[in-house]
Amino acid sequence: MGLGLVIYGRANCPQCHATRRKADQIGLAYRYVDLDHDRDAECRLQQEGHRSLPVVETGDLVWVGFRPDLLEGLAP
């Protein structure tokens, strides 16, 4: 996966922006996947049953939505 944290989102998603801002604020390295430009990733997430954004993946942990508590738990 490269970086251990991946955030999937869209440009017009307020929760996606909040998730990225929080990750930046606490110094988390992440890869951002813009679903407006990555159809394959969008299809994979839909097949996995995700219907809301952002989808955040790190190792075996996956969650949906803005979860600052979970992000803070990943802080270095």
Side-chain angles (χ1 to χ4, degrees):
M1 181 184 305
L3 292 175
L5 179 64
V6 183
I7 301 171
Y8 297 89
R10 293 192 185 281
N12 64 349
C13 169
Q15 288 192 16
C16 300
H17 291 294
T19 298
R20 292 175 70 191
R21 275 194 309 273
K22 184 64 175 179
D24 290 338
Q25 177 186 40
I26 60 179
L28 294 177
Y30 62 90
R31 181 169 62 95
Y32 177 69
V33 178
D34 186 341
L35 297 178
D36 291 323
H37 301 289
D38 191 334
R39 182 74 177 132
D40 291 338
E42 179 183 28
C43 288
R44 180 179 67 81
L45 292 175
Q46 287 177 349
Q47 289 173 347
E48 292 173 1
H50 299 292
R51 299 289 180 256
S52 299
L53 293 174
V55 174
V56 181
E57 296 179 339
T58 180
D60 292 335
L61 181 61
V62 179
W63 72 83
V64 177
F66 178 50
R67 293 290 311 269
D69 57 322
L70 293 177
L71 289 170
E72 288 172 2
L74 301 174

